[in-house]
Amino acid sequence: MIKKCLFPVAGYGTRFLPATKAMPKEILPIVNKPLVQYGVEEASEAGISEFGFVTGRGKRAIEDHFDISYELEHQIAGSGKEDLLTSIRDLINNNTFAFTRQNEMKGLGHAILTGRNLIGDSPFAVILADDFCVAEDGDDGVLAQMVKLYKQFRCSIVAIEEVPEDQTHKYGVIKGEAMKDGLYRITDMVEKPAPEDAPSNLAIIGRYILTPDIFEILERTPAGKNGEVQITDALLEQARTGCVLAYQFRGRRFDCGSIDGFVEATNHVYEHIYKAGKK
Ligand code: UTP
C-alpha cells in the first residue's frame, strides 16, 4: 500500500565540514555502512520497494552507491570479501531507485515538492537519512510501525519524540489531542520554536507518511521560518482541513546530522550490531 519512499538528500551538511566538502553527508558511514543505506533498509523492511532521491550538486556518490560497480565486483569475485557487498546487492536487485535534482536549497518542503514526479498520486513515506533509527530487539522498525498505523487511519503521520525543552528550536514541535498511548491528532505545529513558544516538548523527527494532496498544499505554501518552504507549514494546513497524526515511535533515534549524535550512533552500532554480528 505504501510502496514509495522519498529521500530528500540535497542539503549541504555544513555541520560536517570539511568531511562533506566533496562527499554527501548521507554517505558518511556508521561503522561500515552509509547512513542512507540504513534508511533504505528500514523502508524496505516496511514493505517499500520504490525509492526516490531528491539530490543536489555534489551528490553523485548516492546514485553510484545504489548501482552495480562491475569493476569492484570483478576485482573481489571469489575472494572472502564478496559477502561484504551482499546487503547492498540485495537492495539493488530487489528495488528501484530514481533520482531528481533540487536546483536551489529552498527547504525541506520544497525538496519534497521537487520529488513529486518520482512519487505521483499515491501516499508515500519520507525518510531523512540523517535521523538514524534503531528498532528494539525483535520489534518493527519505525517506518514499519508507521505503515501499520497508516493502514488503520489513512492520513498523514509524522514520527515524534520527547526532546529536552532547550532543544525545541531544532525541530518542528506539535500540539495534539491524545488518541491513545503515543498517538496524537495534531491541532497545532510550530517550526523551530524557542522554548517559551513551544506548544509541547514533542518534536517531529525525520520519518513521515504523507498523503499526495500535500503536493498541492506545498505548491502554495510560502517560504516560512529561515526563508525556507517548511513541510511543517504544509502539514499544519493538512491538519486543520483534515487529519494529521503524530506517533511516538518505539525504538531509538540518533541525530546523525550533528557530530554528537553521529558519534553516539557509531558507538551504538559498533557495540550492539556490528560486534554482535547482527548485520
Ligand atoms: P538539515 O536541516 O539537516 O540541513 O536538512 P543539511 O543541509 O542537511 O545539514 P546542515 O544543517 O547544513 O549540517 C534536513 C534534511 O532535509 C534535506 C537535507 O538533505 C536533510 O536530509 N534538505 C533540506 C533538502 O533536501 N533540501 C533543502 O533545501 C533543505
Side-chain angles (χ1 to χ4, degrees), residues 225-239:
K225 191 104 181 182
N226 300 336
E228 297 186 330
V229 178
Q230 301 289 350
I231 187 65
T232 322
D233 292 338
L235 280 166
L236 185 56
E237 182 174 332
Q238 248 190 356

Side-chain angles (χ1 to χ4, degrees), residues 56-75:
R57 285 175 291 278
K59 299 277 181 171
R60 274 276 305 281
I62 299 174
E63 286 178 57
D64 290 341
H65 187 70
F66 293 103
D67 194 0
I68 295 168
S69 171
Y70 286 104
E71 273 181 39
L72 177 65
E73 301 221 356
H74 177 73
Q75 190 70 33

Side-chain angles (χ1 to χ4, degrees), residues 89-166:
R89 263 320 276 263
D90 285 352
L91 288 177
I92 293 169
N93 289 342
N94 297 314
N95 301 283
T96 61
F97 299 88
F99 300 84
T100 192
R101 275 198 181 200
Q102 185 188 19
N103 299 322
E104 288 178 276
M105 298 306 110
K106 290 189 192 164
L108 178 57
H110 181 260
I112 291 173
L113 182 58
T114 305
R116 184 180 199 167
N117 290 346
L118 304 179
I119 296 298
D121 203 22
S122 311
F124 61 103
V126 175
I127 286 186
L128 305 187
D130 47 6
D131 268 340
F132 170 58
C133 292
V134 183
E136 286 162 13
D137 263 350
D139 196 3
D140 285 339
V142 176
L143 205 60
Q145 295 169 37
M146 293 171 75
V147 166
K148 278 189 184 158
L149 272 179
Y150 179 78
K151 285 181 184 158
Q152 201 180 341
F153 292 98
R154 311 255 170 175
C155 62
S156 290
I157 305 170
V158 300
I160 50 166
E161 73 173 8
E162 287 185 17
V163 296
E165 269 177 30
D166 63 355

